[in-house]
Amino acid sequence: VDCLEHTLEKSLQAKFPSDLKVSILLDFTRGSRGRKNSRTMLLPLLQRFPEQVRVSLFHTPNLRGLLRLLIPERFNETIGLQHIKVYLFDNNVILSGANLSDSYFTNRQDRYVLLQDCPEVADFFTELVGAVGDVSLQLQADNTVQVLEGMVHPYKGDRAAYCRAANKRVMDVINSARVRQQVLHAQTFHGDSLLTQEDAAAAGDRRPAPDTWIYPLIQMKPFEIQIDEIVTETLLTEAERGARVYLTTGYFNLTQAYMDLVLGTRAEYQILLASPEVNGFFGAKGVAGAIPAAYVHIERQFFRELCSLGQQERVRLQEYWRRGWTFHAKGLWLYLAGSSLPCLTLIGSPNFGYRSVHRDLEAQIAIVTESRALQQQLHQEQEQLYLRSGVVSSATFEQPSRQVKLWVKMVTPLIKNFF
């Protein structure tokens, strides 16, 4: 925040009028938690630079009425969040699963990808953040919030009308990006005016043919947008015999559809998850402190199913452990049959669990590449993460630290869709 303030200050002192704009999109419930929160941190920016700064707070349409009045702070976040983590600077984009809080810069393992000088991707995510911002509550300089003029209120207005308006606003961005992409693709690969590579080289144009493709994948089930879910299910379905899939999640709570696909397909899987000690909820106060035990229970049930189907060699579970750290990395790497390097990775905010698919707003990208150098980097990233892990076996669940209390086992099926 200090850095943003300094940059905005400099832009005011510039000789030429600056068109620097700062747009921040947060979740309403998470950003308003406690007396000192993201809202109070950002108010000085809004007050000092009202023309240049916009702070939007997304409020899920599912948290309304009595539910909104009765559910306390922190717990209200389980109903649905703005969970997208995208950081944009001009034409540079960082996609991640990480928030910008202290732990991520010190002792929390996550993944990040920097797309440098990539205006098409930057434009898409700028428009996406703008669209979600438009259907969110706008933070005012006096710490109140307002909806944009003409917009349906997310929790006071009609839910169906709000979701329709939000769907239209976001799908307009996705569809216009798709049209731009089709035009660009036609110009790149089918343009009549294109020179042959030899002619281009002779004319001094030495741009190589593209070897890497980036596909933004958006998931906003409250608005009936489920592109990420469809693509993820397709990848899991199409992974053939001999292919290897490395899938990692900080919170192992796969949807039933994803679990069925992992168990029912032919590819080899190595699934990396957090051991209880590096779970973000480990040591939390109150009910939240039992969440790591609930994940152990879910993991044990899945492992038992693997064993009963005789699949424990094809689908291996591994637990990440690092002293003093927590684990929040998620994503997927696909190695085609016979290849020692991945040709595809998914990176972004989804955890592959029920919340990611059904409740939260999520975004990730699929990077598909033929570049050997990039494939090597992706392979190295995957190896580094898996190096700090141990393979899960029956003995894992016999350790004293893995004993799950009866009440946790009983409530897990009731609450697993909320975390």
Side-chain angles (χ1 to χ4, degrees):
V1 175
D2 290 344
C3 197
L4 287 173
E5 185 173 17
H6 176 68
T7 308
L8 285 160
E9 191 71 60
K10 270 200 329 197
S11 78
L12 286 184
Q13 292 163 1
K15 287 179 184 171
F16 306 102
S18 171
D19 55 359
L20 173 65
K21 291 273 185 278
V22 175
S23 181
I24 297 169
L25 171 64
L26 304 173
D27 182 73
F28 179 92
T29 51
R30 194 165 276 184
S32 306
R33 187 205 294 170
R35 288 186 63 186
K36 188 182 176 193
N37 52 40
S38 301
R39 278 168 74 163
T40 56
M41 277 182 82
L42 294 168
L43 281 174
L45 288 187
L46 266 180
Q47 290 158 353
R48 286 195 62 193
F49 310 98
E51 300 303 312
Q52 289 170 278
V53 176
R54 178 193 192 190
V55 179
S56 306
L57 301 165
F58 173 78
H59 192 296
T60 177
N62 297 335
L63 183 65
R64 53 179 48 236
L66 264 181
L67 195 66
R68 190 172 190 276
L69 289 172
L70 296 176
I71 300 187
E73 273 187 1
R74 290 183 81 92
F75 291 94
N76 58 10
E77 296 170 26
T78 61
I79 305 301
L81 287 174
Q82 192 303 104
H83 199 244
I84 296 166
K85 292 91 166 53
V86 56
Y87 310 116
L88 269 152
F89 318 89
D90 299 335
N91 283 338
N92 300 325
V93 185
I94 295 175
L95 253 292
S96 181
N99 297 315
L100 296 178
S101 48
D102 287 343
S103 60
Y104 290 92
F105 298 110
T106 48
N107 62 346
R108 192 157 220 212
Q109 179 66 58
D110 218 304
R111 300 178 65 211
Y112 304 79
V113 63
L114 167 62
L115 308 172
Q116 258 182 306
D117 194 25
C118 207
E120 296 88 357
V121 178
D123 286 349
F124 173 78
F125 279 107
T126 301
E127 290 171 22
L128 181 73
V129 169
V132 178
D134 287 349
V135 302
S136 301
L137 299 165
Q138 310 302 310
L139 185 63
Q140 307 298 307
D142 61 355
N143 201 15
T144 60
V145 292
Q146 288 178 5
V147 289
L148 284 183
E149 201 175 331
M151 187 58 216
V152 184
H153 197 285
Y155 64 86
K156 291 179 182 171
D158 178 72
R159 186 185 174 283
Y162 171 78
C163 290
R164 272 198 308 275
N167 171 287
K168 183 181 184 317
R169 186 69 188 83
V170 174
M171 284 310 297
D172 281 351
V173 170
I174 292 169
N175 290 331
S176 77
R178 198 173 276 152
V179 169
R180 286 201 304 269
Q181 197 55 34
Q182 283 163 349
V183 170
L184 182 67
H185 187 272
Q187 286 172 345
T188 308
F189 295 102
H190 311 294
D192 297 334
S193 60
L194 275 191
L195 306 169
T196 64
Q197 282 208 311
E198 292 82 3
D199 291 343
D205 186 352
R206 300 194 181 279
R207 275 179 304 180
D211 59 13
T212 301
W213 295 264
I214 291 163
Y215 301 92
L217 307 175
I218 309 304
Q219 183 74 11
M220 299 180 179
K221 201 68 165 274
F223 308 154
E224 302 295 323
I225 296 169
Q226 51 199 100
I227 298 164
D228 182 60
E229 179 187 1
I230 291 164
V231 170
T232 304
E233 286 187 359
T234 305
L235 284 172
L236 299 179
T237 305
E238 300 291 329
E240 59 195 0
R241 192 184 301 281
R244 287 176 296 140
V245 176
Y246 290 78
L247 188 150
T248 169
T249 173
Y251 305 111
F252 182 69
N253 185 14
L254 300 184
T255 65
Q256 194 60 51
Y258 290 168
M259 266 197 268
D260 291 345
L261 286 171
V262 169
L263 294 171
T265 49
R266 296 180 296 273
E268 290 173 27
Y269 282 84
Q270 280 182 245
I271 300 175
L272 181 63
L273 46 122
S275 63
E277 299 79 11
V278 300
N279 185 294
F281 290 97
F282 186 73
K285 294 190 179 94
V287 181
I291 290 177
Y295 283 119
V296 169
H297 182 55
I298 293 165
E299 179 189 351
R300 186 177 199 161
Q301 286 179 316
F302 183 71
F303 184 75
R304 278 182 177 157
E305 194 168 356
L306 281 180
C307 294
S308 71
L309 294 168
Q311 302 275 345
Q312 66 270 36
E313 289 303 310
R314 185 180 66 82
V315 181
R316 285 188 17 210
L317 295 181
Q318 292 175 235
E319 287 187 354
Y320 181 96
W321 187 86
R322 187 175 181 183
R323 187 184 298 282
W325 280 60
T326 53
F327 182 73
H328 196 249
K330 50 259 195 163
L332 179 151
W333 296 258
L334 173 64
Y335 293 68
L336 296 180
S339 175
S340 61
L341 297 174
C343 62
L344 176 148
T345 192
L346 300 181
I347 181 167
S349 64
N351 284 302
F352 305 105
Y354 187 93
R355 278 191 59 170
S356 290
V357 173
H358 294 278
R359 294 183 179 278
D360 296 346
L361 306 192
E362 307 277 10
Q364 64 179 341
I365 53 172
I367 301 175
V368 182
T369 185
E370 293 173 348
S371 159
R372 196 159 177 86
L374 182 53
Q375 288 179 351
Q376 293 272 15
Q377 281 187 294
L378 294 175
H379 175 65
Q380 192 179 0
E381 181 203 26
Q382 177 273 113
E383 278 197 320
Q384 292 290 338
L385 283 173
Y386 279 72
L387 266 178
R388 294 186 178 272
S389 69
V391 177
V392 172
S393 66
S394 301
T396 305
F397 301 104
E398 287 160 19
Q399 298 168 24
S401 62
R402 300 307 171 96
Q403 300 312 307
V404 179
K405 294 187 173 103
L406 181 61
W407 73 267
V408 175
K409 290 180 182 177
M410 289 172 71
V411 301
T412 297
L414 305 173
I415 62 169
K416 67 186 282 190
N417 293 348
F418 292 93
F419 61 81

